[in-house]
Amino acid sequence: MTDYIELRARSAFSFLEGATTPEDLAIQAKALGYGAIALGDRDGLYGAPRFHQAAKNADIKPIVGAELTLDDDSRLYVLIPDRERYRNLCRMITDSKLRAAKGAGRITLDDLERYGRGMICLGGGAMSPLSRMLVRGEDPRPLCDRLEGIFGRDDLYLDLQRHLDPDEERLNRKLAALADAAGLPIVATNDVCHGGSDRQLLDVLTCIRLKTTLEEAGRALWINNQRYLKPPAEMVALFRDLPKAVMATRAIAERCAFTLSDMGYRFPRYPVPPGETSDSYLRILTYKGAHERWGSGLDDGTRRQLEHELGMIERLKLAGYFLIVWDIVQFCRENRIMVQGRGSAANSAVCYALGITAVDAVKMKLLFERFLSEERGEWPDIDLDLPSGDQREKVIQ
């Protein structure tokens, strides 16, 4: 990694506040020599999947973050070090959206106390609640102490930004003094909103957001000239008097080991009878259905095929998926809703035994591996045809 890592950047998914696509941000970071870069859009993770894929293609590390709007319209910026914190961030943002009208969701300090522990918080920048209190001449220590209690002393940083603005530099001095008094670390960021070539686009978006014109916006646009993704060496030079703030960027980046590659997928836990596992219960249902399909005396070929399929399903940890699909089919049967499994699932004797498909895969000598194979490393795809209209919606609900 370079000495400086950009930890605070927005994309165009921060509506009217960012002018660069997640893909372009990753490409530009690679071109400038970054080994890692963070994306933290406003109140959501909308751009994270595209950013992750683009960063992966560019062979740089994508750090997951988000800028959270608090209930007083100030903002805090959080970075995600691990999967558990990613899950908590998603839950916190979702809760804030569900309890408010569209576009009005806000994060409270109570939300942060419930979900924020373990996230890395950047509490500086002009929009942070601490900065606003410092500008107004209010005492920020009580809030600073509460944020430290939420995130922990090692996970609360006050970030300083330098956009050649005298007012901002006065704020930086106050933030640095607060950090020193509270024993908190500082870190350098640039609050990136465009990639350099997108500056004019950001100016237009800024005017739309502020409901003004390019001619009348004045100083509101001037700072945009500095909020681009700068080369690491330029940021190091900009903060040459604060080497610890630069070094902190790399330390934080190294701690943020989580990427969307770590997500994987976990099926919902299907409720099974006491004493049973998903695999054992699937076996019970499969053989119950097999006796209904083929009669009480299963021949050796049918039994071998069922055991082959059940063994592979168990090794790939897919029993829960089959149980969920079986449950959907059972619901349809009980409610007289037509349902039929189709496609490559018809190659499965287990699907036939469970009543999901109507094709005898054993009699027709169909190849199960066309449906599910350890070598392909792909999930099985069980398609269910349902009637359109209210019945289909009833099943979905």
Side-chain angles (χ1 to χ4, degrees):
M1 290 189 186
T2 53
D3 290 336
Y4 176 83
I5 303 295
E6 186 55 65
L7 299 175
R8 189 189 276 260
R10 298 186 185 95
S11 76
F13 281 91
S14 290
F15 189 53
L16 299 182
E17 293 185 359
T20 301
T21 65
E23 293 88 345
D24 284 346
L25 184 65
I27 292 169
Q28 290 166 10
K30 178 65 174 180
L32 292 172
Y34 283 97
I37 184 173
L39 176 66
D41 280 312
R42 186 183 70 237
D43 297 321
L45 296 158
Y46 320 105
R50 286 169 53 176
F51 180 63
H52 167 77
Q53 189 59 52
K56 183 178 178 181
N57 293 340
D59 193 28
I60 64 173
K61 176 182 171 181
I63 300 170
V64 179
E67 187 176 48
L68 305 175
T69 305
L70 304 184
D71 47 9
D72 63 354
D73 282 332
S74 64
R75 299 182 189 180
L76 287 174
Y77 190 91
V78 294
L79 297 167
I80 302 305
D82 55 41
R83 180 173 173 169
E84 181 180 353
R85 255 46 68 169
Y86 178 81
R87 182 168 62 242
N88 288 345
L89 177 62
C90 292
R91 287 172 172 168
M92 180 166 59
I93 293 174
T94 299
D95 285 353
S96 74
K97 301 289 188 183
L98 288 174
R99 66 176 178 239
K102 185 176 180 180
R106 295 292 184 266
I107 302 293
T108 67
L109 292 178
D110 290 340
D111 293 330
L112 291 173
E113 286 183 333
R114 180 180 180 187
Y115 293 113
R117 188 72 179 181
M119 298 179 191
I120 298 172
C121 177
L122 307 188
M127 295 290 288
S128 83
L130 295 173
S131 295
R132 288 185 166 190
M133 295 180 77
L134 288 169
V135 170
R136 293 194 298 261
E138 300 171 5
D139 181 10
R141 281 304 299 271
L143 177 59
C144 188
D145 291 342
R146 186 171 182 186
L147 292 175
E148 183 184 330
I150 292 171
F151 296 103
R153 177 164 295 190
D154 294 335
D155 292 329
L156 176 61
Y157 289 76
L158 299 187
D159 57 316
L160 311 182
Q161 301 167 12
R162 284 180 166 167
H163 301 118
L164 308 182
D165 182 347
D167 291 337
E168 184 180 60
E169 199 55 39
R170 281 189 284 272
L171 172 60
N172 283 340
R173 287 195 292 271
K174 293 178 181 179
L175 284 169
L178 174 61
D180 186 58
L184 297 175
I186 58 173
V187 63
T189 64
N190 198 43
D191 195 27
V192 171
C193 297
H194 65 97
S197 60
D198 306 311
R199 186 270 170 91
Q200 290 181 318
L201 174 58
L202 182 62
D203 283 351
V204 172
L205 296 175
T206 301
C207 287
I208 294 172
R209 176 166 54 87
L210 299 178
K211 297 180 174 60
T212 187
T213 64
L214 289 167
E215 291 76 15
E216 296 177 357
R219 198 167 182 271
L221 304 182
W222 175 73
I223 201 171
N224 288 348
N225 188 47
Q226 294 296 316
R227 293 165 71 188
Y228 65 93
L229 185 61
K230 297 178 179 178
E234 188 173 332
M235 290 299 296
V236 171
L238 192 60
F239 285 89
R240 58 186 173 273
D241 59 321
L242 295 171
K244 288 185 178 180
V246 173
M247 292 168 59
T249 66
R250 180 166 174 168
I252 292 172
E254 290 173 346
R255 288 181 57 196
C256 293
F258 172 81
T259 73
L260 296 191
S261 295
D262 302 319
M263 287 293 294
Y265 181 78
R266 207 167 48 185
F267 291 110
R269 188 181 298 277
Y270 188 84
V272 298
E276 301 293 344
T277 65
S278 294
D279 291 304
S280 67
Y281 190 50
L282 178 63
R283 177 178 291 275
I284 291 170
L285 294 176
T286 297
Y287 274 97
K288 178 183 177 184
H291 292 309
E292 293 172 356
R293 290 288 202 186
W294 289 291
S296 57
L298 298 178
D299 61 53
D300 291 342
T302 300
R303 192 177 294 277
R304 277 197 305 271
Q305 183 62 32
L306 290 174
E307 287 299 320
H308 168 63
E309 295 187 17
L310 288 170
M312 188 177 298
I313 291 168
E314 182 174 359
R315 288 192 298 275
L316 296 177
K317 297 179 171 54
L318 292 170
Y321 175 54
F322 282 80
L323 290 172
I324 290 168
V325 176
W326 168 80
D327 194 43
I328 294 171
V329 172
Q330 288 297 111
F331 175 85
C332 292
R333 306 271 193 242
E334 292 167 0
N335 288 273
R336 302 178 64 83
I337 297 172
M338 290 189 297
V339 62
Q340 186 61 65
R342 62 172 173 84
S344 62
N347 291 48
S348 168
V350 168
C351 285
Y352 180 62
L354 293 174
I356 295 170
T357 58
V359 176
D360 186 343
V362 177
K363 180 180 178 180
M364 301 300 292
K365 298 181 180 179
L366 300 178
L367 182 65
F368 174 68
E369 281 69 18
R370 182 176 176 272
F371 167 60
L372 179 60
S373 168
E374 290 179 277
E375 287 73 23
R376 285 209 315 267
E378 298 175 357
W379 291 356
D381 183 14
I382 303 177
D383 297 313
L384 298 178
D385 282 335
L386 296 163
S388 60
D390 294 342
Q391 288 185 311
R392 180 175 183 273
E393 186 61 25
K394 183 178 181 180
V395 177
I396 291 172
Q397 293 303 323

